Amino acid sequence: MATMTPAGDFRTSYRADTTIFPTFGSRVATLAGLVLLCAAPLALGRYELGLLITIGYSAIAALGLNILVGFTGQISIGHAAFFGFGAFSSALLAEHHVPVPLAIWGAGVMTAVVGLVFGAPAARLKGLYLAIATLAAQFILEDFFARARWFSGGVAGRVTEPYELFGLRFDREETYFYIVLAHLVLLFVAAANLMRTRDGRALIAVRDHYLSAEMMGINLAYYRTLSFGIAAFYAGIGGALYAHYLLFVSVEAFNILYSIQFLAMVIIGGLGSVMGSLMGAAFMVLLPEVVQSGADLLAGGMIDRILRIGASISFLREMAIGAAIILFLIFEPDGLAHRWRLIKAYWKLYPFSH
């Protein structure tokens, strides 16, 4: 019984009720997972590590969007634009001789300011009107990236500097993986603790019932704007990590399709779940790889000759993303995080059904 939750609820304080690790086993499992991740470069190749790095910075940006959409009840279709703003900001700061570790966090702050600018008018909107406002932010920033050559390099893009700390260069997958992992753990712990604070509970109250929250004295405009700033900050950090991993940033990468992919990560992973953001990012990053593997297996066969899969693999990837969103909305609307909680409860309570 030392490693399992006994029958009954013995929590007698709010601190015990909001703990990040409800059981000793969950804490041990998390630490064991981190140890395995730290040993990943010893066992995996550069391709697999590249996928893990992509999952890492995508999960950071997706977590920011989840704070906005899942925890606060807002909507944003322009998250990729803030992701791109963080990438270009970090590249610009590094070009002006700001150390890359500081440039990444500086890019997050700059992106947060831009998020607050767009979030201020959007805080008075909701529903379809808010979606249109964030869509306008997407196109405004895309046009800004294409025209502001001093900031983004224009359509030619911008070359970025590799990550360097204490004279060591982290320009390979085996080393840069640890940089992304460190930022991922720090920002996920920060988000989990944010939801335990007064401000985090206020964000959730705005989502659950904004009229009741306003009657309780919660400033709706302030917290809605704050959620945009936090989401933009996380997107900026993720974009900066993306920029210093690829060492080149292009305007075309941050289009509306990328924003939809971030929304898919949040929906598939689970709205209002910190862990769900990571699970959704992993699902969306690995989904195209699974589609590619399936196409390779069918290559040269009758189905390939009829459908011409090899020539339309890019379209199949986009179709797979759309199909995944629809299927999860129908069959698993609470996302992968909810399914994972049900699986844990099943094994903990088996053979009883309650």
Side-chain angles (χ1 to χ4, degrees):
M1 297 301 294
T3 60
M4 296 182 65
T5 303
D9 192 346
F10 298 96
R11 291 170 290 189
T12 58
S13 65
Y14 187 80
R15 179 179 181 181
D17 190 56
T18 58
T19 181
I20 297 178
F21 301 104
T23 62
F24 177 75
S26 62
R27 184 182 296 109
V28 171
T30 302
L31 293 177
L34 288 176
V35 171
L36 289 176
L37 284 176
C38 290
L42 303 177
L44 301 179
R46 298 184 61 184
Y47 175 75
E48 290 79 11
L49 289 175
L51 290 177
L52 291 179
I53 291 172
T54 304
I55 291 172
Y57 64 68
S58 299
I60 292 173
L63 178 57
L65 184 61
N66 209 344
I67 292 174
L68 176 66
V69 179
F71 287 102
T72 315
Q74 302 293 91
I75 186 65
S76 176
I77 315 180
H79 202 62
F82 298 114
F83 186 85
F85 192 92
F88 287 120
S89 298
S90 185
L92 181 65
L93 292 174
E95 183 180 311
H96 287 78
H97 309 293
V98 176
V100 173
L102 296 180
I104 290 175
W105 294 98
V109 174
M110 293 172 63
T111 311
V113 172
V114 175
L116 291 174
V117 170
F118 283 101
R124 302 290 181 179
L125 304 173
K126 60 181 180 178
L128 178 63
Y129 301 99
L130 179 59
I132 296 301
T134 57
L135 182 63
Q138 168 76 35
F139 290 121
I140 289 172
L141 289 177
E142 277 192 49
D143 187 69
F144 172 74
F145 295 156
R147 297 177 183 273
R149 298 186 61 184
W150 60 271
F151 178 75
S152 62
V155 295
R158 178 182 287 277
V159 177
T160 62
E161 299 292 329
Y163 194 99
E164 187 171 346
L165 183 65
F166 302 123
L168 300 175
R169 290 170 64 94
F170 297 83
D171 54 354
R172 294 173 56 85
E173 282 81 0
E174 294 83 356
T175 54
Y176 195 73
F177 168 77
Y178 293 108
I179 301 300
V180 175
L181 180 61
H183 286 81
L184 178 72
V185 172
L186 179 62
L187 291 171
F188 266 66
V189 171
N193 281 284
L194 172 64
M195 294 305 126
R196 302 164 63 199
T197 64
R198 179 180 182 275
D199 291 329
R201 298 195 300 271
L203 294 176
I204 296 174
V206 172
R207 176 200 66 188
D208 289 342
H209 203 290
Y210 68 94
L211 289 179
S212 299
E214 190 173 24
M215 292 176 64
M216 294 171 61
I218 295 176
N219 189 331
L220 298 183
Y222 170 77
Y223 281 104
R224 285 172 175 170
T225 306
L226 177 65
S227 66
F228 270 95
I230 296 174
F233 175 78
Y234 273 73
I237 297 294
L241 292 171
Y242 161 86
H244 296 290
Y245 170 56
L246 295 183
L247 301 180
F248 178 77
V249 190
S250 177
V251 178
E252 293 81 6
F254 314 110
N255 51 29
I256 185 66
L257 178 60
Y258 206 12
S259 292
I260 295 175
Q261 289 182 11
F262 281 126
L263 268 177
M265 293 176 191
V266 173
I267 293 172
I268 292 173
L271 291 171
S273 171
V274 174
M275 182 182 66
S277 302
L278 179 59
M279 299 175 72
F283 183 92
M284 291 303 299
V285 171
L286 297 178
L287 179 62
E289 304 302 321
V290 174
V291 174
Q292 180 69 63
S293 300
D296 294 340
L297 290 175
L298 297 175
M302 182 179 64
I303 298 178
D304 185 22
R305 291 193 298 270
I306 295 174
L307 300 179
R308 297 182 180 179
I309 295 177
S312 57
I313 184 64
S314 60
F315 299 103
L316 287 176
R317 290 177 178 178
E318 296 177 9
M319 291 169 59
I321 293 173
I325 296 175
I326 294 173
L327 292 175
F328 268 88
L329 287 175
I330 296 175
F331 298 106
E332 196 62 71
D334 293 326
L336 294 172
H338 175 70
R339 179 54 53 184
W340 174 243
R341 286 192 292 268
L342 293 180
I343 293 173
K344 290 195 300 182
Y346 174 82
W347 288 107
K348 186 178 295 184
L349 301 176
Y350 184 82
F352 304 103
S353 60
H354 61 277

